[in-house]
Amino acid sequence: MSTHHSPRIVLVTGGAGFIGANFLLRMVPRYPDVQFVNLDALTYAGNPMTLQPIENADNYTFVHGDSADGALVQRRFDKHDFTTVAHFAAESHVDRSILDPLAFVRTNVVGTATLLDAARRAWTTEGAIDPVAFRCYHISTDEVFGTLGDTGAFDETTPYDPHSPYSASKAGSYHLVRAYADTYGLPVVISNCSNNYGPF
């Protein structure tokens, strides 16, 4: 059986942030038959002006809201029948996490758990989730691996070793994503980005 996933309606969290915005600016014009719904709380990291080139596109919708707001997330799943989640929303930056660690736990851990559970409920049919019909992409960070050692590189086998509230919260979100994949069969893809460069 093929496991190729073809998105139809994509929930993008944190799409006004740097990485999410670049994703949307590339994907919305490239895939006019795919609907993109951008859920963003517009914190210090979000800039809606970045998205001006696509804000009137027929296949793009912006929703101002928090991914940790369970009622809001559930309403969006009920309304849009998402086939795909691209989860960029996160509190980031180590220094900010030292000043306000609970904000990082709320967004990165509770927000991720909220999305995962909404997807699980929406996508489970007769006790199973179709891995071809649905997919959840979780954008993580190399910070979860801790300090770069003597090898000069991390890989998929590097143990998690977070040392800040930021990296610990992202490690926690990873473990939730893996748990939902293993427990419920939620089809997930996880990336551990290093430094990202590009427009904005």
Side-chain angles (χ1 to χ4, degrees):
M1 182 177 97
S2 170
T3 58
H4 178 73
H5 173 67
S6 296
R8 291 185 299 104
I9 308 173
V10 182
L11 171 61
V12 178
T13 67
F18 166 58
I19 306 174
N22 277 283
F23 171 82
L24 284 166
L25 290 170
R26 183 178 182 90
M27 294 300 182
V28 169
R30 179 175 285 193
Y31 298 100
D33 294 332
V34 177
Q35 293 294 315
F36 294 88
V37 177
N38 176 14
L39 175 65
D40 198 297
L42 296 180
T43 64
Y44 68 91
N47 183 359
M49 299 298 287
T50 305
L51 298 166
Q52 278 187 324
I54 61 168
E55 65 182 3
N56 295 317
D58 291 339
N59 63 329
Y60 173 75
T61 303
F62 174 76
V63 176
H64 185 199
D66 185 347
S67 59
D69 181 340
L72 171 65
V73 169
Q74 188 60 56
R75 286 196 302 273
R76 289 294 147 183
F77 268 85
D78 293 342
K79 179 175 181 177
H80 295 287
D81 292 327
F82 297 118
T83 62
T84 312
V85 174
H87 183 35
F88 295 92
E91 294 283 346
S92 60
H93 306 302
V94 170
D95 290 346
R96 284 183 178 273
S97 77
I98 294 168
L99 294 172
D100 190 5
L102 293 185
F104 282 67
V105 172
R106 174 178 166 73
T107 298
N108 299 349
V109 179
V110 177
T112 299
T114 300
L115 287 166
L116 291 168
D117 210 54
R120 174 189 66 82
R121 289 194 305 269
W123 297 347
T124 300
T125 304
E126 297 178 357
I129 301 173
D130 183 346
V132 176
F134 304 108
R135 193 68 48 89
C136 182
Y137 297 91
H138 178 65
I139 314 305
S140 191
T141 173
D142 65 343
E143 293 275 351
V144 296
F145 299 118
T147 304
L148 196 60
D150 296 334
T151 63
F154 299 123
D155 64 31
E156 290 81 358
T157 65
T158 303
Y160 274 31
D161 188 26
H163 290 280
S164 70
Y166 166 54
S167 57
S169 68
K170 290 299 286 185
S173 68
Y174 163 84
H175 289 300
L176 284 166
V177 173
R178 289 303 319 162
Y180 270 71
D182 293 343
T183 303
Y184 304 109
L186 193 71
V188 302
V189 175
I190 300 170
S191 69
N192 291 100
C193 305
S194 186
N195 292 332
N196 291 276
Y197 298 89
F200 312 108

